[in-house]
Amino acid sequence: MTASRTAELNASKPGKAREVVEDHEEASQIKMGELSELLGYSLKRAQLRIFDDFIRCVASLNLTPAQFSVLLLIDRNPGRNQTEIANTLGILRPNFVAMLDSLESRELCVRVRSANDRRSHILMLTDNGRTILARAKKLVATKHEARLNEVLGPANRTALLEMLATLARDF
Amino acid sequence: MTASRTAELNASKPGKAREVVEDHEEASQIKMGELSELLGYSLKRAQLRIFDDFIRCVASLNLTPAQFSVLLLIDRNPGRNQTEIANTLGILRPNFVAMLDSLESRELCVRVRSANDRRSHILMLTDNGRTILARAKKLVATKHEARLNEVLGPANRTALLEMLATLARDF
DNA sequence: CGATAATCGTTATTGATCATATCAAATAGT
DNA sequence: ACTATTTGATATGATCAATAACGATTATCG
């Protein structure tokens, strides 16, 4: 972005154009070598971009991807407790506590002591939580995933999803 | 894994089988809902798996994916300084310092004051660094990427790489 | 039954990763 | 010469991930 902003400034000085060596990628012309072939590298870079875009798309609701996934899972699985939700998301129980504290303080969900097992906390969305989740889903669908379909095309997006699922399953 | 161990134990009690509801995934039969359709979610899960496998494959050399990519880039781009290498990897300069300290203390690379610009440090691999990098590349190729070809198939692996590059580029 | 083990949510703590502000030294721009 | 900027570095904070341990509760089983 520093590069593109510099380019704009130079473009506004018609006097001596092209003295800046066709800029674009500034520090680059650095060879990536076999890094371009490393799947893990591309995977991480892509993931960071996607997450950034996700956050941008639901910025008005102040939801991180992790928070969104928690709300989704609670909504789809009423009656589950903390460990069950945390486990299926790969979140460790200790780290899940602060996360729920945050969501609960925003009145998006509540912990209810189970009658069967008074150790566990049943999780459920509040009305407000359901509203926010619905809005988030809409934003994700119309902005985030729509953008993905633009860039990849629907067929590729599906194929990509399938391959990633394969990786997460068979690895 | 807790689930499968439990299953074995139950199988060894022929008396009253099937009282444990066909176990398998214990906490599960939890519905993922539209989470399975969220590209970012699958992307992150896959990335974590791939990184774990990478670390496992080069465990004998004690190299993280990030360290490997740094060594690769230094090797492929002799004469570059810290900011140049850090920038192309998306690493912030302050965070790159400790990383290089570590690699330098292991005698894998060296910082050399540039003659042209005495502010900057030219980075280069040591002989030892080149040896380790060569070994790492071999391990990655024969173990890590080979495994990927097994799971995905060569065609899919290439297609996946291309899509990820597209995402990182056009997003 | 009662003793022991296991589970649930929680706290505390540590390490790794990531980001920002700031600095001295060196260089560039004017 | 005077000011900007750049480079590597330090300090610091935020976020995330991982482990150990605890009180309360429930399960196991002798």
Side-chain angles (χ1 to χ4, degrees):
Chain A
M1 24 151 107
T2 303
S4 60
R5 221 181 299 126
T6 305
E8 288 175 32
L9 286 176
N10 290 333
S12 64
K13 291 178 190 169
K16 40 177 181 176
R18 283 304 88 80
E19 92 170 11
V20 182
V21 285
E22 193 49 315
D23 206 8
H24 216 52
E25 291 311 303
E26 186 162 19
S28 237
Q29 81 209 58
I30 281 196
K31 295 163 195 159
M32 295 287 287
E34 35 270 272
L35 218 51
S36 340
E37 286 298 313
L38 246 201
L39 193 62
Y41 179 78
S42 301
L43 211 41
K44 180 153 195 190
R45 293 309 271 246
Q47 186 257 316
L48 291 176
R49 295 265 181 134
I50 301 287
F51 266 45
D52 275 355
D53 184 75
F54 183 99
I55 292 173
R56 215 175 41 74
C57 289
V58 299
S60 62
L61 300 176
N62 240 42
L63 283 182
T64 66
Q67 289 171 329
F68 177 75
S69 65
V70 169
L71 294 184
L72 244 178
L73 226 60
I74 294 178
D75 188 51
R76 280 285 198 242
N77 299 276
R80 297 299 187 158
N81 63 22
Q82 294 186 200
T83 38
E84 288 172 322
I85 299 293
N87 279 339
T88 66
L89 285 175
I91 302 174
L92 294 171
R93 276 72 89 220
N95 298 330
F96 196 47
V97 174
M99 194 160 178
L100 277 182
D101 287 346
S102 165
L103 292 176
E104 210 175 6
S105 77
R106 292 166 63 181
E107 319 225 359
L108 298 178
C109 70
V110 286
R111 301 182 234 220
V112 183
R113 288 229 98 96
S114 167
N116 312 334
D117 186 342
R118 288 168 42 209
R119 289 171 296 184
S120 61
H121 291 169
I122 297 308
L123 300 179
M124 22 190 305
L125 294 191
T126 63
D127 288 346
N128 188 28
R130 267 180 291 272
T131 304
I132 297 295
L133 176 59
R135 285 192 203 154
K137 279 197 219 174
K138 194 160 290 182
L139 286 177
V140 169
T142 63
K143 300 194 152 183
H144 181 64
E145 295 286 342
R147 183 89 196 287
L148 284 170
N149 271 330
E150 259 179 45
V151 173
L152 288 175
N156 278 336
R157 187 191 149 283
T158 304
L160 175 56
L161 206 56
E162 173 55 28
M163 289 191 232
L164 295 175
T166 301
L167 283 181
R169 198 181 330 111
D170 302 347
F171 228 68
Chain B
M1 20 153 104
T2 304
S4 60
R5 223 178 300 125
T6 304
E8 289 176 29
L9 287 175
N10 289 333
S12 64
K13 290 178 189 170
K16 40 177 181 176
R18 282 306 86 82
E19 93 171 7
V20 181
V21 284
E22 194 48 303
D23 206 9
H24 215 54
E25 290 310 303
E26 184 161 20
S28 236
Q29 79 211 59
I30 281 198
K31 295 164 196 158
M32 295 287 286
E34 35 270 272
L35 217 51
S36 340
E37 285 299 314
L38 247 201
L39 192 62
Y41 179 78
S42 301
L43 211 42
K44 179 153 197 190
R45 293 309 272 250
Q47 186 257 316
L48 290 175
R49 295 266 181 133
I50 300 286
F51 266 46
D52 274 356
D53 185 74
F54 182 99
I55 293 173
R56 215 175 41 76
C57 289
V58 299
S60 61
L61 301 176
N62 240 42
L63 283 182
T64 67
Q67 290 172 328
F68 177 75
S69 65
V70 169
L71 294 184
L72 245 179
L73 226 60
I74 294 178
D75 188 51
R76 279 286 198 243
N77 299 274
R80 297 297 188 160
N81 64 22
Q82 294 187 199
T83 37
E84 288 172 320
I85 299 294
N87 279 341
T88 65
L89 285 175
I91 303 173
L92 294 171
R93 274 73 87 221
N95 299 330
F96 197 47
V97 175
M99 194 160 178
L100 276 183
D101 286 347
S102 165
L103 292 177
E104 210 176 4
S105 76
R106 291 166 64 182
E107 319 226 1
L108 298 178
C109 71
V110 287
R111 300 182 235 220
V112 183
R113 287 230 101 93
S114 166
N116 312 334
D117 186 341
R118 288 170 41 207
R119 289 171 297 186
S120 62
H121 290 167
I122 297 308
L123 300 179
M124 25 190 302
L125 295 191
T126 62
D127 288 346
N128 188 28
R130 265 181 291 273
T131 303
I132 297 296
L133 175 58
R135 286 190 202 155
K137 279 197 221 174
K138 193 160 292 183
L139 287 177
V140 170
T142 63
K143 300 193 150 183
H144 181 64
E145 296 287 340
R147 182 89 196 286
L148 284 170
N149 271 330
E150 258 179 44
V151 172
L152 290 175
N156 279 337
R157 188 191 150 283
T158 305
L160 175 55
L161 205 57
E162 173 56 28
M163 290 190 229
L164 294 175
T166 301
L167 284 181
R169 198 183 329 111
D170 302 346
F171 227 69

Coordinates of all heavy atoms in Angstrom, one line a residue, chain B residues 87-147:
Chain B
N87 N 9.9 -8.0 5.0 CA 8.8 -7.5 4.2 C 8.1 -8.5 3.3 O 6.9 -8.7 3.3 CB 9.1 -6.2 3.4 CG 9.2 -5.0 4.3 OD1 8.6 -5.0 5.4 ND2 9.9 -4.0 3.8
T88 N 9.0 -9.2 2.6 CA 8.4 -10.1 1.6 C 7.8 -11.3 2.3 O 6.9 -12.0 1.7 CB 9.5 -10.7 0.6 OG1 10.4 -11.4 1.3 CG2 10.2 -9.5 -0.1
L89 N 8.1 -11.5 3.6 CA 7.5 -12.6 4.3 C 6.3 -12.1 5.2 O 5.6 -12.9 5.8 CB 8.5 -13.3 5.2 CG 9.5 -14.3 4.4 CD1 10.5 -14.8 5.4 CD2 8.7 -15.4 3.8
G90 N 6.1 -10.8 5.1 CA 5.0 -10.3 6.0 C 5.3 -10.2 7.4 O 4.5 -10.2 8.3
I91 N 6.7 -10.3 7.7 CA 7.1 -10.2 9.1 C 7.5 -8.7 9.4 O 8.2 -8.1 8.6 CB 8.3 -11.1 9.4 CG1 8.0 -12.5 9.0 CG2 8.8 -11.0 10.8 CD1 9.1 -13.5 9.1
L92 N 7.0 -8.2 10.6 CA 7.4 -6.8 10.9 C 8.8 -6.8 11.4 O 9.2 -7.7 12.1 CB 6.4 -6.3 12.0 CG 5.0 -6.2 11.6 CD1 4.0 -5.9 12.7 CD2 4.8 -5.1 10.5
R93 N 9.5 -5.7 11.1 CA 10.9 -5.6 11.4 C 11.2 -5.9 12.9 O 12.1 -6.6 13.2 CB 11.5 -4.3 10.9 CG 11.9 -4.3 9.5 CD 10.7 -4.3 8.5 NE 10.3 -2.9 8.2 CZ 9.0 -2.6 8.1 NH1 8.1 -3.5 8.3 NH2 8.7 -1.4 7.8
P94 N 10.5 -5.3 13.8 CA 10.8 -5.6 15.2 C 10.7 -7.0 15.5 O 11.6 -7.5 16.3 CB 9.7 -4.8 15.9 CG 9.3 -3.7 15.0 CD 9.4 -4.3 13.6
N95 N 9.8 -7.7 15.0 CA 9.7 -9.2 15.3 C 10.7 -10.0 14.6 O 10.9 -11.2 15.0 CB 8.3 -9.6 14.9 CG 7.2 -8.9 15.7 OD1 7.4 -8.5 16.8 ND2 6.0 -8.7 15.1
F96 N 11.3 -9.4 13.6 CA 12.3 -10.2 12.8 C 13.6 -10.3 13.5 O 14.4 -11.2 13.3 CB 12.4 -9.6 11.4 CG 13.1 -10.5 10.4 CD1 12.7 -11.8 10.2 CD2 14.1 -10.0 9.6 CE1 13.3 -12.6 9.3 CE2 14.7 -10.8 8.6 CZ 14.3 -12.1 8.5
V97 N 13.8 -9.3 14.4 CA 15.1 -9.3 15.1 C 15.4 -10.5 16.0 O 16.4 -11.2 15.8 CB 15.2 -8.0 16.0 CG1 16.4 -8.0 16.8 CG2 15.1 -6.8 15.2
A98 N 14.4 -10.9 16.8 CA 14.6 -12.0 17.7 C 14.7 -13.3 16.8 O 15.5 -14.2 17.2 CB 13.4 -12.2 18.6
M99 N 14.0 -13.3 15.7 CA 14.0 -14.5 14.9 C 15.4 -14.7 14.3 O 16.0 -15.8 14.3 CB 13.0 -14.3 13.7 CG 12.8 -15.5 13.0 SD 11.2 -15.4 12.1 CE 11.3 -17.0 11.3
L100 N 16.0 -13.6 13.8 CA 17.4 -13.7 13.3 C 18.4 -14.0 14.4 O 19.4 -14.7 14.2 CB 17.7 -12.4 12.6 CG 17.3 -12.3 11.1 CD1 17.7 -11.0 10.5 CD2 17.8 -13.4 10.3
D101 N 18.2 -13.4 15.6 CA 19.1 -13.7 16.7 C 19.1 -15.2 16.9 O 20.2 -15.8 17.1 CB 18.5 -13.0 18.0 CG 18.8 -11.5 18.0 OD1 19.5 -11.0 17.1 OD2 18.2 -10.8 18.8
S102 N 18.0 -15.8 16.9 CA 17.9 -17.3 17.1 C 18.6 -18.0 16.0 O 19.5 -18.9 16.3 CB 16.4 -17.7 17.1 OG 16.3 -19.1 17.0
L103 N 18.4 -17.7 14.7 CA 19.0 -18.4 13.6 C 20.5 -18.1 13.6 O 21.3 -19.0 13.3 CB 18.4 -17.9 12.3 CG 16.9 -18.3 12.0 CD1 16.4 -17.7 10.7 CD2 16.8 -19.8 12.0
E104 N 20.9 -16.9 14.0 CA 22.3 -16.6 14.0 C 23.0 -17.4 15.2 O 24.2 -17.8 15.0 CB 22.5 -15.1 14.2 CG 23.8 -14.6 13.5 CD 23.9 -13.1 13.5 OE1 23.0 -12.4 14.2 OE2 24.8 -12.5 13.0
S105 N 22.3 -17.5 16.3 CA 22.9 -18.2 17.4 C 23.1 -19.6 17.1 O 24.0 -20.3 17.7 CB 22.1 -18.0 18.7 OG 21.0 -18.8 18.6
R106 N 22.3 -20.1 16.2 CA 22.4 -21.5 15.8 C 23.4 -21.7 14.6 O 23.5 -22.7 14.0 CB 21.1 -22.1 15.4 CG 20.1 -22.3 16.6 CD 18.7 -22.5 16.2 NE 18.5 -23.8 15.5 CZ 17.4 -24.2 14.9 NH1 16.3 -23.4 15.1 NH2 17.3 -25.3 14.3
E107 N 24.0 -20.6 14.3 CA 25.0 -20.5 13.2 C 24.4 -21.0 11.8 O 25.1 -21.6 11.0 CB 26.2 -21.4 13.5 CG 26.6 -21.3 15.0 CD 28.1 -21.1 15.1 OE1 28.8 -21.1 14.1 OE2 28.6 -20.9 16.3
L108 N 23.1 -20.6 11.6 CA 22.5 -20.9 10.3 C 22.6 -19.8 9.4 O 22.6 -20.0 8.1 CB 21.0 -21.3 10.5 CG 20.8 -22.5 11.4 CD1 19.3 -22.8 11.6 CD2 21.5 -23.8 10.8
C109 N 22.8 -18.6 9.9 CA 23.0 -17.4 9.0 C 23.7 -16.4 9.8 O 24.0 -16.5 11.0 CB 21.6 -16.9 8.6 SG 20.7 -16.0 9.9
V110 N 24.2 -15.3 9.1 CA 24.9 -14.2 9.7 C 24.4 -12.9 9.2 O 23.9 -12.8 8.0 CB 26.4 -14.3 9.4 CG1 27.1 -15.4 10.2 CG2 26.6 -14.5 7.9
R111 N 24.6 -11.9 10.0 CA 24.3 -10.5 9.6 C 25.6 -9.8 9.3 O 26.6 -9.9 10.1 CB 23.6 -9.7 10.7 CG 22.3 -10.3 11.2 CD 21.7 -9.4 12.2 NE 21.4 -10.2 13.4 CZ 20.3 -10.1 14.1 NH1 19.4 -9.2 13.8 NH2 20.1 -10.8 15.2
V112 N 25.7 -9.2 8.2 CA 27.0 -8.5 7.8 C 26.7 -7.1 7.5 O 25.8 -6.8 6.7 CB 27.6 -9.2 6.5 CG1 28.9 -8.5 6.2 CG2 27.8 -10.7 6.7
R113 N 27.4 -6.2 8.1 CA 27.2 -4.8 7.8 C 27.4 -4.5 6.4 O 28.5 -4.9 5.8 CB 28.1 -3.9 8.7 CG 27.7 -3.8 10.2 CD 27.6 -2.4 10.7 NE 26.3 -1.9 10.7 CZ 25.5 -1.9 11.8 NH1 26.0 -2.4 13.0 NH2 24.3 -1.4 11.8
S114 N 26.5 -3.8 5.7 CA 26.7 -3.5 4.3 C 27.8 -2.4 4.2 O 27.8 -1.5 5.0 CB 25.4 -3.0 3.7 OG 25.6 -2.4 2.5
A115 N 28.6 -2.5 3.1 CA 29.6 -1.5 2.8 C 29.0 -0.2 2.3 O 29.3 0.9 2.6 CB 30.6 -2.0 1.9
N116 N 28.0 -0.4 1.4 CA 27.3 0.7 0.8 C 26.5 1.5 1.8 O 26.6 2.8 1.8 CB 26.3 0.2 -0.3 CG 26.9 -0.8 -1.2 OD1 28.2 -0.8 -1.4 ND2 26.1 -1.7 -1.8
D117 N 25.7 0.8 2.6 CA 24.8 1.5 3.5 C 25.1 0.9 4.9 O 24.6 -0.2 5.2 CB 23.4 1.3 3.1 CG 22.4 2.1 4.0 OD1 22.8 2.5 5.1 OD2 21.3 2.3 3.5
R118 N 25.8 1.6 5.7 CA 26.3 1.0 7.0 C 25.2 0.9 8.0 O 25.4 0.5 9.2 CB 27.5 1.8 7.5 CG 28.7 1.5 6.7 CD 29.9 2.4 7.0 NE 30.0 2.7 8.4 CZ 30.5 3.8 9.0 NH1 30.9 4.7 8.2 NH2 30.6 3.9 10.3
R119 N 23.9 1.3 7.6 CA 22.8 1.1 8.6 C 22.4 -0.4 8.5 O 22.0 -1.0 9.4 CB 21.6 2.0 8.2 CG 21.8 3.4 8.5 CD 20.7 4.2 7.9 NE 20.7 4.1 6.4 CZ 19.8 4.8 5.6 NH1 18.9 5.6 6.2 NH2 19.9 4.6 4.3
S120 N 22.4 -0.9 7.3 CA 21.7 -2.2 7.0 C 22.6 -3.4 7.2 O 23.8 -3.3 7.0 CB 21.1 -2.2 5.6 OG 22.2 -2.0 4.6
H121 N 21.9 -4.5 7.5 CA 22.6 -5.8 7.6 C 22.3 -6.7 6.5 O 21.1 -7.0 6.3 CB 22.2 -6.5 8.9 CG 22.6 -5.8 10.2 ND1 22.1 -6.1 11.4 CD2 23.6 -4.8 10.3 CE1 22.8 -5.3 12.3 NE2 23.6 -4.6 11.7
I122 N 23.3 -7.0 5.7 CA 23.1 -8.0 4.7 C 23.0 -9.4 5.3 O 23.8 -9.7 6.2 CB 24.4 -8.0 3.7 CG1 24.4 -6.6 3.1 CG2 24.3 -9.1 2.7 CD1 23.2 -6.2 2.4
L123 N 22.1 -10.2 4.8 CA 21.9 -11.5 5.4 C 22.5 -12.6 4.5 O 22.3 -12.5 3.2 CB 20.4 -11.8 5.6 CG 19.7 -10.8 6.6 CD1 18.2 -11.2 6.7 CD2 20.4 -10.8 7.9
M124 N 23.1 -13.6 5.0 CA 23.6 -14.7 4.2 C 23.6 -16.0 5.1 O 23.8 -15.9 6.3 CB 24.9 -14.4 3.6 CG 25.8 -13.4 4.3 SD 27.2 -12.9 3.4 CE 28.0 -14.5 3.1
L125 N 23.5 -17.1 4.4 CA 23.5 -18.4 5.1 C 25.0 -18.7 5.3 O 25.9 -18.4 4.6 CB 22.8 -19.5 4.2 CG 21.4 -19.3 4.0 CD1 20.8 -20.6 3.4 CD2 20.6 -19.0 5.3
T126 N 25.2 -19.4 6.4 CA 26.5 -20.1 6.7 C 26.5 -21.4 5.9 O 25.5 -21.8 5.4 CB 26.7 -20.3 8.2 OG1 25.7 -21.3 8.6 CG2 26.6 -19.1 9.0
D127 N 27.7 -22.0 5.9 CA 27.8 -23.3 5.2 C 26.8 -24.3 6.0 O 26.1 -25.0 5.3 CB 29.2 -23.8 5.3 CG 30.1 -23.1 4.3 OD1 29.6 -22.4 3.5 OD2 31.4 -23.2 4.5
N128 N 26.9 -24.2 7.3 CA 26.0 -25.0 8.1 C 24.5 -24.7 7.7 O 23.7 -25.6 7.6 CB 26.2 -24.7 9.6 CG 25.4 -25.6 10.5 OD1 25.1 -26.8 10.1 ND2 25.1 -25.2 11.6
G129 N 24.2 -23.4 7.6 CA 22.8 -23.1 7.2 C 22.4 -23.7 5.9 O 21.3 -24.1 5.7
R130 N 23.3 -23.6 4.9 CA 23.0 -24.2 3.6 C 22.8 -25.7 3.7 O 21.9 -26.3 3.1 CB 24.1 -23.9 2.6 CG 23.8 -22.7 1.8 CD 25.0 -22.4 0.8 NE 26.2 -22.0 1.5 CZ 26.5 -20.8 1.8 NH1 25.6 -19.8 1.4 NH2 27.6 -20.5 2.4
T131 N 23.6 -26.4 4.6 CA 23.4 -27.8 4.8 C 22.1 -28.1 5.4 O 21.3 -29.0 4.9 CB 24.5 -28.3 5.7 OG1 25.8 -28.0 5.1 CG2 24.4 -29.8 5.9
I132 N 21.8 -27.4 6.5 CA 20.5 -27.6 7.1 C 19.3 -27.4 6.2 O 18.3 -28.1 6.1 CB 20.4 -26.7 8.4 CG1 21.4 -27.1 9.4 CG2 19.0 -26.9 9.0 CD1 21.3 -28.5 10.0
L133 N 19.4 -26.3 5.4 CA 18.3 -26.0 4.5 C 18.1 -27.1 3.5 O 17.0 -27.5 3.2 CB 18.6 -24.6 3.8 CG 17.7 -24.2 2.7 CD1 16.2 -24.1 3.3 CD2 18.1 -22.9 2.0
A134 N 19.3 -27.6 3.0 CA 19.2 -28.7 2.0 C 18.5 -29.9 2.6 O 17.6 -30.5 1.9 CB 20.6 -29.1 1.5
R135 N 18.9 -30.2 3.8 CA 18.2 -31.4 4.5 C 16.8 -31.1 4.7 O 15.9 -32.0 4.5 CB 18.9 -31.6 5.8 CG 20.3 -32.3 5.7 CD 20.7 -32.7 7.1 NE 22.2 -32.8 7.1 CZ 22.9 -32.7 8.2 NH1 22.4 -32.5 9.4 NH2 24.2 -32.9 8.2
A136 N 16.4 -29.9 5.1 CA 15.0 -29.6 5.3 C 14.2 -29.7 4.1 O 13.1 -30.2 4.1 CB 14.9 -28.1 5.9
K137 N 14.8 -29.2 3.0 CA 14.1 -29.3 1.7 C 13.8 -30.7 1.3 O 12.7 -31.0 0.9 CB 14.9 -28.6 0.6 CG 14.9 -27.1 0.5 CD 15.4 -26.6 -0.8 CE 16.2 -25.4 -0.7 NZ 16.9 -25.0 -2.0
K138 N 14.8 -31.6 1.6 CA 14.6 -33.0 1.2 C 13.5 -33.6 2.1 O 12.6 -34.3 1.6 CB 15.9 -33.7 1.4 CG 15.9 -35.1 0.8 CD 17.3 -35.6 0.5 CE 18.1 -34.9 -0.5 NZ 19.4 -35.4 -0.8
L139 N 13.5 -33.3 3.4 CA 12.5 -33.8 4.3 C 11.1 -33.3 3.9 O 10.1 -34.1 3.9 CB 12.8 -33.4 5.7 CG 14.0 -34.1 6.4 CD1 14.2 -33.5 7.8 CD2 13.7 -35.6 6.5
V140 N 11.0 -32.1 3.6 CA 9.7 -31.5 3.2 C 9.2 -32.1 1.9 O 8.0 -32.5 1.8 CB 9.9 -30.0 3.0 CG1 8.6 -29.4 2.3 CG2 10.1 -29.3 4.3
A141 N 10.1 -32.3 1.0 CA 9.7 -32.9 -0.3 C 9.3 -34.4 -0.2 O 8.2 -34.8 -0.6 CB 10.8 -32.8 -1.3
T142 N 10.1 -35.2 0.6 CA 9.9 -36.6 0.6 C 8.8 -37.0 1.6 O 8.2 -38.0 1.5 CB 11.1 -37.4 0.9 OG1 11.6 -37.0 2.2 CG2 12.2 -37.1 -0.1
K143 N 8.6 -36.2 2.7 CA 7.7 -36.5 3.7 C 6.4 -35.7 3.6 O 5.3 -36.2 3.4 CB 8.3 -36.4 5.1 CG 9.5 -37.3 5.3 CD 9.9 -37.3 6.8 CE 10.5 -38.7 7.1 NZ 10.8 -38.8 8.5
H144 N 6.6 -34.4 3.7 CA 5.5 -33.5 3.8 C 4.7 -33.3 2.5 O 3.5 -33.7 2.5 CB 6.0 -32.1 4.3 CG 4.9 -31.1 4.5 ND1 3.9 -31.2 5.4 CD2 4.7 -29.9 3.8 CE1 3.1 -30.1 5.3 NE2 3.5 -29.3 4.4
E145 N 5.3 -32.9 1.5 CA 4.6 -32.7 0.2 C 4.2 -34.0 -0.4 O 3.2 -34.1 -1.1 CB 5.5 -31.9 -0.7 CG 5.8 -30.4 -0.3 CD 4.6 -29.5 -0.4 OE1 3.6 -29.8 -1.1 OE2 4.6 -28.4 0.3
A146 N 5.0 -35.0 -0.1 CA 4.6 -36.4 -0.6 C 3.3 -36.8 0.0 O 2.4 -37.3 -0.7 CB 5.7 -37.4 -0.3
R147 N 3.1 -36.5 1.3 CA 1.9 -36.9 2.0 C 0.7 -36.1 1.4 O -0.4 -36.6 1.2 CB 2.1 -36.5 3.4 CG 0.9 -36.9 4.3 CD 1.0 -38.3 4.9 NE -0.3 -38.7 5.4 CZ -0.8 -38.3 6.5 NH1 -0.2 -37.5 7.3 NH2 -2.0 -38.8 6.9

